[in-house]
Amino acid sequence: LDCGPNTILDITSNSTLAVNGPVYFRGELGNEIEVISSDSSGSFLVYQSKQVSKVVHTIFSGLNEQHQSYWHVTGAVNFYEADVYFSKCIFQNNHSEDGLNIFRSTFMIDSCTFVNTYSDAFDGDFCIGVVKNSEFSNIGNDALDFSGSSINLRNLSIEYVEDKAISAG
């Protein structure tokens, strides 16, 4: 999936936009890509990609987790066995267990904002990654929640978190 500036993807009706491969979201400052759910029922999933996804200047807003008979994703935005690079992205107003869930992947999150998340802002399980120059605010549970992962954290701002700033299991 390849998207350029000013693209809006509205995922509604309890749907999941599921991509079996990489995504290339190349927004620009002032011309961001928006991945939204106008009815707060949609989610976004990238799974089992052999190439690294690159997501720049993208806003993920109003998304939710999915409970389908054949899968359950806990994040509004999910990367499952899919390496990803995020830069200058915003994850906001998501209504799921995890605003962003990355599972069994390598990742980089640079200069991103997580705000007004219902539960955990970012959950990384069995990952290797870096989170740097990023902000977490108004988080309903943990800002960063890791299990079985090796994570490097640098230059983070974390405020107004209901539970833990960092949970490492």
Side-chain angles (χ1 to χ4, degrees):
L1 182 58
D2 195 338
C3 296
N6 291 322
T7 299
I8 299 174
L9 301 173
D10 190 2
I11 309 165
T12 61
S13 304
N14 293 309
S15 299
T16 298
L17 175 56
V19 180
N20 179 224
V23 296
Y24 305 106
F25 288 0
R26 297 178 313 251
E28 299 170 351
L29 182 61
N31 295 306
E32 289 83 359
I33 293 167
E34 294 182 56
V35 181
I36 64 170
S37 182
S38 58
D39 67 1
S40 299
S41 72
S43 70
F44 181 79
L45 168 67
V46 176
Y47 66 101
Q48 297 176 327
S49 175
K50 293 183 182 0
Q51 293 96 7
V52 176
S53 292
K54 293 184 176 117
V55 183
V56 179
H57 283 293
T58 300
I59 300 169
F60 296 93
S61 185
L63 297 162
N64 211 328
E65 63 190 271
Q66 288 295 309
H67 300 273
Q68 304 292 335
S69 60
Y70 44 91
W71 76 40
H72 174 132
V73 292
T74 59
V77 178
N78 304 272
F79 281 77
Y80 178 85
E81 295 177 350
D83 298 343
V84 61
Y85 169 79
F86 289 103
S87 177
K88 299 174 180 75
C89 294
I90 299 172
F91 299 83
Q92 66 184 13
N93 306 321
N94 292 308
H95 312 283
S96 54
E97 182 179 327
D98 309 313
L100 171 62
N101 182 274
I102 300 178
F103 187 84
R104 267 192 242 142
S105 305
T106 299
F107 68 86
M108 166 74 76
I109 297 172
D110 184 13
S111 303
C112 293
T113 300
F114 295 79
V115 63
N116 299 331
T117 300
Y118 169 76
S119 191
D120 293 344
F122 171 43
D123 189 331
D125 297 312
F126 310 104
C127 294
I128 297 171
V130 175
V131 183
K132 65 181 184 175
N133 307 318
S134 296
E135 301 176 7
F136 297 80
S137 181
N138 296 326
I139 309 301
N141 199 36
D142 299 333
L144 298 132
D145 185 359
F146 302 112
S147 178
S149 297
S150 176
I151 310 298
N152 184 315
L153 304 174
R154 290 182 267 169
N155 194 31
L156 304 180
S157 171
I158 302 172
E159 61 183 7
Y160 308 111
V161 175
E162 298 279 328
D163 198 2
K164 295 173 282 303
I166 300 168
S167 176

